[in-house]
Amino acid sequence: MKEMSVSQTYRVLEPGPIVMVTTSDRGKPDVMTMGFHMMIQHAPPLIGCVIGPWNYSYQALRITGECVIAVPGLDLAETVVDVGNCSGDRVDKFQRYGLRKRPAKDVSPPLLHDCLANIECRVVDTRLSDSYNLFILEAMRIWINESRKERRMMHHRGDGTFIVGGGKLDLKDRMVKWRHLP
């Protein structure tokens, strides 16, 4: 075995598919790319996400307490990286990258039309946001875009490389302890 730096732990335990997060501050929507998030519980569905003060979206999330987490497909890979490499305080990312918006039902930030899924969220806990930039969000609604042909998701490795997920392994018959979950 080869030892690697402990600072690279996130490359081994990556948190899930790369996502895009929309926020809205005083009617101005913004979008950012996020790689650090996790499911915390099933019901109510709680999501932990790391958004730090270095992100333009941070203040909007702190002030409004709402966002949309959108899951892009592989066909949006270059856009996802480009969105993550510029700031919404200087750039209208929707216009620059041709991101199509749709109104959400329960929150002000928009849904991203071209993503596989959009999750409308409200912040329910900020106790760890000052020390760890960790926000706890409750999923209020989820929208699935069934018309998307590209269904593969990207998983960030932390160095500009991604793992592409696309296959499925079905072991439902072995999940006897968890059959009660939806």
Side-chain angles (χ1 to χ4, degrees):
M1 297 185 121
K2 176 184 169 191
E3 185 177 9
M4 65 188 291
S5 170
V6 72
S7 68
Q8 304 298 306
T9 301
Y10 65 94
R11 290 190 184 182
V12 177
L13 293 178
E14 62 85 19
I18 198 85
V19 298
M20 301 175 85
V21 178
T22 65
T23 54
S24 185
D25 184 19
R26 294 179 291 268
K28 181 185 177 205
D30 188 39
V31 60
M32 64 170 278
T33 300
M34 180 176 66
F36 283 67
H37 55 84
M38 64 183 158
M39 286 302 305
I40 293 176
Q41 74 178 28
H42 293 94
L46 297 180
I47 303 163
C49 70
V50 174
I51 298 176
W54 54 85
N55 290 302
Y56 181 65
S57 299
Y58 176 84
Q59 283 304 324
L61 187 59
R62 297 260 320 170
I63 292 166
T64 68
E66 54 186 30
C67 66
V68 171
I69 297 176
V71 182
L74 182 61
D75 55 333
L76 293 176
E78 291 178 358
T79 299
V80 167
V81 172
D82 292 347
V83 162
N85 280 296
C86 64
S87 180
D89 64 344
R90 291 182 238 82
V91 175
D92 179 341
K93 298 180 198 181
F94 296 97
Q95 182 179 356
R96 177 178 280 183
Y97 301 111
L99 294 169
R100 298 186 296 166
K101 302 177 282 193
R102 292 185 55 170
K105 188 156 187 166
D106 291 332
V107 298
S108 296
L111 307 177
L112 294 180
H113 178 76
D114 295 314
C115 284
L116 300 168
N118 284 266
I119 307 166
E120 296 183 34
C121 299
R122 289 219 169 88
V123 175
V124 293
D125 193 333
T126 60
R127 286 177 288 178
L128 296 173
S129 65
D130 287 334
S131 51
Y132 297 105
N133 305 310
L134 178 65
F135 291 85
I136 308 301
L137 311 173
E138 182 175 352
M140 309 305 289
R141 288 187 187 272
I142 185 166
W143 305 92
I144 304 298
N145 189 342
E146 294 178 325
S147 69
R148 299 285 293 144
K149 289 183 176 41
E150 177 58 75
R151 310 286 315 159
R152 294 174 292 173
M153 293 181 239
M154 303 165 290
H155 299 263
H156 191 229
R157 298 202 58 236
D159 61 353
T161 62
F162 299 83
I163 295 171
V164 177
K168 184 165 103 175
L169 177 62
D170 187 344
L171 297 174
K172 289 179 195 164
D173 59 328
R174 301 180 69 83
M175 297 292 288
V176 295
K177 184 176 178 182
W178 305 105
R179 290 186 192 221
H180 66 280
L181 296 176

